Amino acid sequence: MEGSVFEERWGLQHFDPALFLRIHRSVIINLAHVRELYKDIHRTFIVLDNGVELSVGRNYLPNVKSLII
């Protein structure tokens, strides 16, 4: 993938929390590459600059919501 998506192998402590956010147990995203956030009936998704759509895990939804409020 193009560096916007990183499958976690180390943990979030290796990343600057102002630049990166965990949105799923196995996904950390670079906030500079977020293009869109949308919700369907059951789930919330983040769309990255490269068009990749990622589902936000329900346990990480409060963190995502805190960024947009």
Side-chain angles (χ1 to χ4, degrees):
M1 287 195 191
E2 292 187 8
S4 300
V5 178
F6 173 76
E7 288 191 34
E8 179 193 357
R9 299 214 193 284
W10 299 331
L12 195 55
Q13 67 271 13
H14 294 285
F15 298 95
D16 182 352
L19 302 175
F20 294 89
L21 179 69
R22 180 187 303 275
I23 63 164
H24 193 273
R25 190 173 84 183
S26 62
V27 178
I28 297 171
I29 60 167
N30 183 335
L31 294 172
H33 293 282
V34 174
R35 178 175 56 186
E36 181 181 350
L37 173 72
Y38 72 91
K39 183 175 172 89
D40 71 2
I41 294 173
H42 300 288
R43 299 187 326 198
T44 301
F45 293 89
I46 288 180
V47 181
L48 301 177
D49 290 339
N50 62 3
V52 173
E53 292 186 14
L54 300 166
S55 177
V56 177
R58 70 174 181 242
N59 292 331
Y60 302 97
L61 195 53
N63 296 338
V64 173
K65 286 183 177 180
S66 71
L67 291 176
I68 59 175
I69 294 179

